[in-house]
Amino acid sequence: MALTKISLQTFRNHVSSELAETAHFNLLVGENGAGKTNVLEALSLLSPGRGLRRASLAELAYRAQPDDEPAGFAIGASLIEQGQVSARLGTYTEPDRPTRRLVRINGAEAPASVLSEWLAISWLTPAMDGLFTDSAGARRRFVDRMALAVEPGHARNVTSLENALRERNRLLEDGGDARWLDAIEAQIAQHGAVVAQNRARLISLLSDELSALPPEPFARPILTYRPGGPTDVADLLAELARARPRDRAAGRALTGPHRDELEVVMALSGVPAASCSTGEQKAMLIAITLAHGVLASSGRPSVLLLDEVAAHLDPVRRAELFRRLGQGQAQVWMTGTELPPFAGIEGEAAIWRVSDGSLERL
């Protein structure tokens, strides 16, 4: 078990909601728009980043009326390790600082990046169904989220890399001093090499896990990491210096980890994932999620958030999904509009009925 005593205060349509006595499987059942996914989103914010919807902070706070000013929100949860509470994690905004997300761990302020050192959280949502046909940036974000499971400090390096790239772009545009460019490019090379190496390690570990899975009932994918430039610090630094005239003309850096790509093909057919059917793409996403769940649960406590996943699977795939999730260590949270698709785990799951932002334990 990973999380319990979860509280949501003025978050989305939840004025005040609590979830206690959680289990390995946790189900949120209710009509569309009731607030099920809002609970998953709240849990996803107990990790670095913008959560599973990538929403702005202003969108997250409850409003009694649509034109009301956001009043802030608060999310808290107790972390359970080996049957004991090991920490209280919380994230919130304040009414006078609605655009700044704050984090507390055991009551003490902490940077959001530290959350990944306590807990590994991953998710699969319907919005991710188009991942293989989406932009390379969307796939990089997907990889970076998963990379936190194997390297908790990955988020800090990604943020530092992005900030340094923006500063380099500004200096190139303004004709900045070469010494400043040298210093910024040194930061890009340092953080960029770590980011690239973490991504490559993650894909290697995922590939090992995926190779052990049977090709059915979930289509097994083959993953390939394509770096967008040198992954060695010295080589990346030299490339950035050499490419200054080209990058100045382009208005952006054309080489580096911000150009990395994840390539996916279906193992049985060799067809690129982007050209596969919607069902095959969904099956490959689930296979990646299950493989990542094994990695995420090998160290810190881990949580897997699955939004509306069971209803779109046939009975064979649904039973296999539940079987594999039951064997894993990650705490699982799932949503659905009705209970019958979850009949296979109903007897061992904690279940809440969600209605208009309120929760009723079943």
Side-chain angles (χ1 to χ4, degrees), residues 150 198-211 291 295:
V150 296
N198 287 343
R199 289 170 177 168
R201 179 181 172 224
L202 168 75
I203 298 306
S204 176
L205 291 171
L206 278 177
S207 296
D208 290 344
E209 291 294 336
L210 288 167
S211 66
L295 299 179

Side-chain angles (χ1 to χ4, degrees), residues 1 94 118 212 258 277 301:
M1 192 182 300
E94 296 177 334
W118 289 86
H258 59 292
S277 70

Side-chain angles (χ1 to χ4, degrees), residues 9-10 58 60-64 68-74 93-96 98:
Q9 300 294 323
T10 58
L60 302 179
Y62 171 81
R63 289 178 171 89
D68 286 351
E69 289 295 321
F73 66 85
T93 60
E94 296 177 334
D96 57 341

